[in-house]
Amino acid sequence: MQVNLYLHKDTFCYNGTDSREDLVNKLNLLTNDLAKIKSTNGSNIVNILVSSDLSITDIYQKENIFNLLEEVSTEAKILFYSIIGNTSEDCDSTIEEIKKKCTYKKDEEECNSLVYLNVPEETSEVKNYSKKPYIQFDNYEIIYNFQTWQTLERQILGNHPGDSNHFLTECKRLFNNIYFHQNCEITLSEVVDKIPRAIVCHLACMNDNMQKFLKNSGTKQANDLLMEFAGEFHLCEGSLNRSGRYKSILTFEFPTTKDPNQKAKKYCDPHFKLDKCDSNCESFGTKEELIYGRIYFNFGDPEVANGKLLVGWIGKHA
């Protein structure tokens, strides 16, 4: 997928609320992402477009981008200097015009995203950010420091999943706190064209938050933990299969931490219920059509796959 990132003067203009330290931290995140983009082996081809007057925009109390770049590493500074000269007339359009380009279209061959270093307080939805779905898919944008380049790549995967092989390959790249059993490629084939957004949203939240959540959960029962996790991050229902009737087909072999050639069997009982078709998958009926999708996983074991979450099945109900 061709990805056009817009560094527009209005998305960098000082919002009157951030401290200088806040902005330097965001700038560090941005330069780190730009370095990743330059060296990535991912499937997206990136074009960075810059406003012609970005370099003179007031980013913090009459300081411009060059003033703040003095606070980042030399390597990051050189990288940003090489990019900021890539000015484009396309990025000199009004921000409202560019926003119209940054919306998902089913038949899109490229996607456009605004990059926000500063979001004006009066127009920002940042205050309500925690009330939103973990990932939204209809508008492409990167708002530092709530999102990163990886967020955008996840949006693209949810909107353009490809076949099960491509989807699983990208999942392994984008969710590095999860170990995916190869069985997932088989089970994904039944749902990857119906609920890719739901799958990506849940995997992203599991990848980013589950280990910390488990660490802070104390002695809670697994079923209660799943329900609380789903509630906190606005996910679909999470539960356990109490009867154990599917234990034989949901037990998979994963590599041990000590020796990847050795295998350990793990029961992937905890699961999230992704029952409804994604809202953009119109060809599969209404939003109310039930898919009975599931992500079956194991909370992990330090002795197995370096302690990662273990996902054994992404597909229809076992």
Side-chain angles (χ1 to χ4, degrees), residues 32-44:
N32 287 340
D33 272 356
L34 293 174
K36 290 176 188 175
I37 291 168
K38 288 289 186 179
S39 61
T40 185
N41 294 317
S43 60
N44 298 306

Side-chain angles (χ1 to χ4, degrees), residues 7 11 20 66 119 176 203 241 264 316:
L7 277 59
T11 62
R20 195 175 193 278
F66 296 113
V119 183
N176 55 15
L203 290 177
N241 172 32
K316 289 204 169 184

Side-chain angles (χ1 to χ4, degrees), residues 260-272:
N261 292 317
Q262 298 292 318
K263 305 297 180 183
K265 291 184 177 181
K266 288 293 178 181
Y267 179 28
C268 294
D269 181 23
H271 56 274
F272 289 106

